[in-house]
Structure formats: C-alpha cells, structure tokens
Amino acid sequence: MEPLVTGRRGFLAASAGAALALGLAAPAGAARRSPFGRFGSPAARLTERTLYVHPGGAGDVTSVGAALAAATGPGWTLVLAPGIYRETVAVDTGRTGTTWIGASENPRDVVIVYDNAAGTPKPGGGTYGTSGSATVTVQADAFTARWITFANHWLRADHPGVDGTQAVALKVQGDRSSFWHCRFLGHQDTLYADTMALGTFARQYFAHCYAEGDVDFVFGRATAVFEHCRFRTLDRTDLAGPPYGFVFAPSTAGANPRGYLVIRSRVTGAAPDGFYKLARPWVPSSDPTARPMLTVRDTWLGPGIDPAAPYANMRDAYPWQSMRFAEYRDTGPGAVVSVPENRPQLDAEAARQHTRTAWLGDWTPWTQGTLTGSLPAEEVSIGPRTSRPRG
C-alpha cells in the first residue's frame, strides 16, 4: 500500500489511530488495544462471515480489495482497522447484505482513497469517465457502511491539461444502501448517489455523514435521504468570481416520485458569502425526460449559499423552475427569502409528504442494529444544532 501525501489537502490528515496502523508514532498504551476495537478479531470472530482488514498484517488480509476477493457471495462483514487504504474497490451485485465497519468508530481513522478523474487515461487507451473515476463503487443491494471515509484525491491544479475533472469518491447504486457517520471527500462529483438502471428506483439513507466538494458534489438519480448531515463547500483559487459550484445536482427519473431529501442538516463552507448555489438540475443526455427532485427542509444554510438565487440551470433547455425543487423551514443566512420566486416553499400540508418515511417506504434503516446491538442514542436523536458530524 502506497503512503498518501496529505499535505496538499488537510482533510486527509491521519488521526492517532491511522498513525498506529501505518507504523507511525502512537500514544502510550496503544499497542495493548485491539486494532479492531469492539468488533472481534481473527481469533475471536463475531460471525463466520466476518473478515478483518489491517494494512500492517494483523488481520485476515491487508486491503479492502483482498477482503472482497476472499468474501464472495452475500452477507459478509468487513471490519477495517485504522489506516489509509489506497485502492479502488467495486462491490458487485452478488454481494447483497455486505457491511463495512470502521473499527475505531471514527471515520477519520479509516480512509479509502484513490485519485482517478473522468479524464484520467486508462491503461490500454481511453479515459475513465465519471463513473469509472470512482474510488469505491457499490452495486449490491443492502450495503451498509459505518465510520469510513471515502475520498478521491485528484486535484485540478495537478492536471491543468485534463478536461474531465469529475472525480468520484463513492458511487452507490444499490437499493437499501445506508451510510452512518461516513465522510465523502473530493472536489467535483464527490458523492454519486445513483441507481443501476433508468427504470430502477434505488433507496439510500445517509445519517450523520459529511460531504465536501465544489461542483455538483452530491449528484445522481437515487431516492436518497440525508439526515443530520453536513455539506461543506470548498474555497477555490482557480475562479475569479461566483458561482464556485453547486452542492446538489439530482437527476431523478421523471417516473420516480422521490428524489433527494435533505432534512435536519447543515450547509457550511470556506468560500466567500454567496459564492455557491444550493443546486442545479442534471438532465443527462441519456435521459432527457428526467425531472430532478430535491427537497431541503429544516436545514441550516450558511452564508456561502446565494440567498437571492440559490438555484441555476445546468442547461437552459431544462430550466430549474420546471423541476421539483422545494424548501421548508430552512434557517441561516443562506435561507433568507429575498426573492420569493427563486425560493419555492412547501406549505405545512405538503411538507407532511416530504419525510424519510414517505421517501423510503417500508425500509426503515434508522431502526436497524449493529453486529453488537442497537445504534448509539446519538445516531437517532441528536439534531444538527447540537451535534455536527465530524469532518
């Protein structure tokens, strides 16, 4: 495993847990602690279908890819020790019910990262394209991840001649996919919440997660709920003025009654006030009938969001006003309604239909337990104003 150069981007600074796994300085007494925390070990497996990943050799395998190669079929759990895993990984459709756990229960400690972009040349010719740039791709249904960072370290400044600057950290396409206390780090197209096919409606749930980027950094056609999450816009030095980018770019199929729902979350940023748009609709050439849908409710919008014009067109042929964008009871300087026609608002009756239950139906991931019991209370009860996701 190659070491990751983190100086160019501070968000990949390793914690003490990651330093221990990489053989760097560790705090006194750390050697006596299991690198797999409360989740067992190769000598004391929680289940027969649990594998332990440790970059230094203290587990069953040293990489996530090797664990997937060993754990064929459905129902496997991978417990990842602290470390930086520099690799690309794909979870295919045959691995239903897979669970990944960051053993330290701190997503800063377990980082899966690579640096392909859409315009990166592929061995043998061509380029990766947006989908192929993903560090991790999940196609299996019922995938769960906890306390893991998914990152794409590709930087525009390092590749001035590359036009395809999309660089995906995670592409998730499976139905009933859930992410708890995870981080998604990149610049353009960081988190691709999508489906396997145009006619497939995949449901996804993100709780207490953190995502950052600049252009369309949460995008795709999934039915996705983001609850108690934080979205952080990045500053840019390559542009002279606004807009620097867009937080959301849904591409919801026209036949899908549910797109993205953001609830009880926060949008913060490092850019100047008003330099970001909240969203723009993505109508891909492969689906000109798409009607992107986004509801942002009970969420704090920071000053980086342009309050007068928070939405923009991706293409003038598909104006955002004809799409399904709505807000409800948002607060913060980026939520001030100064131009009402630019801020479509739900009334109380309509808002009752824009809930996680309405979005996800009979799938209620917030009630599921872990391998060792129920979720900690903080994962189901703390709102964005009392506890911000770590990131």
Side-chain angles (χ1 to χ4, degrees), residues 222-237:
T223 295
V225 174
F226 302 88
E227 186 167 24
H228 300 309
C229 290
R230 179 184 167 198
F231 306 91
R232 183 173 182 268
T233 60
L234 298 177
D235 201 1
R236 299 183 65 172
T237 59

Side-chain angles (χ1 to χ4, degrees), residues 7 20 39 48 50 63 88 97 102 130 149-150 154 161 218 226 244 248 259-260 265 282 294 308 318 372 374-376:
L20 172 61
F39 300 102
E48 292 182 354
T50 301
S63 71
T88 59
T130 299
T149 292
F150 302 85
W154 193 90
V218 181
F226 302 88
Y244 276 3
F248 302 100
Y260 286 177
S265 295
W282 176 30
L294 168 70
Y318 303 101
T372 56
S374 1
L375 294 172

Side-chain angles (χ1 to χ4, degrees), residues 96-114:
T96 303
T98 295
T99 298
W100 292 4
I101 297 173
S104 71
E105 301 179 56
N106 183 341
R108 290 180 175 273
D109 293 344
V110 179
V111 179
I112 307 172
V113 61
Y114 212 74

Side-chain angles (χ1 to χ4, degrees), residues 318-383:
Y318 303 101
W320 72 264
Q321 292 89 342
S322 66
M323 304 304 168
R324 295 175 285 179
F325 286 178
E327 303 172 46
Y328 181 68
R329 293 195 314 197
D330 295 326
T331 58
V336 173
V337 181
S338 57
V339 184
E341 59 267 30
N342 288 343
R343 308 297 301 246
Q345 303 289 315
L346 299 173
D347 59 27
E349 182 178 357
R352 285 193 283 271
Q353 303 304 315
H354 292 244
T355 66
R356 63 186 185 181
T357 301
W359 248 243
L360 303 181
D362 59 358
W363 179 50
T364 57
W366 49 88
T367 64
Q368 71 186 24
T370 68
L371 287 173
T372 56
S374 1
L375 294 172
E378 68 169 35
E379 291 200 284
V380 295
S381 65
I382 294 180

Side-chain angles (χ1 to χ4, degrees), residues 23 34 59 122 137 146 152 157 220 273 343 346 348 383:
S34 167
K122 293 173 60 176
T137 300
R146 298 180 184 275
N152 192 312
D273 292 359
R343 308 297 301 246
L346 299 173

Side-chain angles (χ1 to χ4, degrees), residues 138-142 172-177 194-196 202-204:
V138 177
Q139 297 181 329
D141 290 342
V172 55
Q173 299 174 279
D175 185 37
R176 292 172 290 115
S177 300
D194 204 48
T195 73
M196 285 293 292
R203 295 164 296 174
Q204 298 163 10

Side-chain angles (χ1 to χ4, degrees), residues 67-357:
L68 285 177
T72 57
W76 283 88
T77 295
L78 306 186
V79 180
L80 280 60
I84 297 175
Y85 298 87
R86 182 171 171 75
E87 54 185 309
T88 59
V89 183
V91 183
D92 62 47
T93 56
R95 301 175 188 275
T96 303
T98 295
T99 298
W100 292 4
I101 297 173
S104 71
E105 301 179 56
N106 183 341
R108 290 180 175 273
D109 293 344
V110 179
V111 179
I112 307 172
V113 61
Y114 212 74
D115 58 356
N116 286 330
T120 300
K122 293 173 60 176
T127 57
Y128 282 101
T130 299
S131 291
S133 74
T135 298
V136 175
T137 300
V138 177
Q139 297 181 329
D141 290 342
F143 177 88
T144 301
R146 298 180 184 275
W147 305 297
I148 293 173
T149 292
F150 302 85
N152 192 312
H153 195 240
W154 193 90
L155 294 171
R156 298 183 190 95
D158 296 341
H159 307 275
V162 175
D163 292 330
T165 58
Q166 301 89 344
V168 178
L170 173 73
K171 179 175 183 178
V172 55
Q173 299 174 279
D175 185 37
R176 292 172 290 115
S177 300
S178 63
F179 298 82
W180 303 81
H181 291 293
C182 288
R183 298 195 305 163
F184 310 98
L185 310 180
H187 280 259
Q188 183 172 353
D189 291 7
T190 304
L191 173 56
Y192 196 171
D194 204 48
T195 73
M196 285 293 292
L198 178 58
T200 301
F201 301 160
R203 295 164 296 174
Q204 298 163 10
Y205 182 69
F206 300 81
H208 297 271
C209 289
Y210 171 92
E212 69 175 27
D214 48 41
V215 178
D216 305 333
F217 64 93
V218 181
F219 73 113
R221 66 178 173 227
T223 295
V225 174
F226 302 88
E227 186 167 24
H228 300 309
C229 290
R230 179 184 167 198
F231 306 91
R232 183 173 182 268
T233 60
L234 298 177
D235 201 1
R236 299 183 65 172
T237 59
D238 58 320
L239 296 179
Y244 276 3
F246 313 84
V247 181
F248 302 100
S251 59
T252 322
N256 189 350
R258 304 285 185 266
Y260 286 177
L261 172 64
V262 179
I263 184 168
R264 292 187 287 273
S265 295
R266 297 179 69 87
V267 179
T268 64
D273 292 359
F275 270 48
Y276 270 86
K277 304 294 186 181
L278 185 60
R280 63 178 180 174
W282 176 30
V283 179
S285 57
S286 59
D287 181 20
T289 64
R291 286 197 66 218
M293 182 179 190
L294 168 70
T295 298
V296 179
R297 59 169 299 172
D298 301 292
T299 289
W300 188 86
L301 305 180
I305 299 301
D306 179 358
Y311 305 105
N313 300 337
M314 188 174 292
R315 287 188 285 170
D316 289 343
Y318 303 101
W320 72 264
Q321 292 89 342
S322 66
M323 304 304 168
R324 295 175 285 179
F325 286 178
E327 303 172 46
Y328 181 68
R329 293 195 314 197
D330 295 326
T331 58
V336 173
V337 181
S338 57
V339 184
E341 59 267 30
N342 288 343
R343 308 297 301 246
Q345 303 289 315
L346 299 173
D347 59 27
E349 182 178 357
R352 285 193 283 271
Q353 303 304 315
H354 292 244
T355 66
R356 63 186 185 181
T357 301

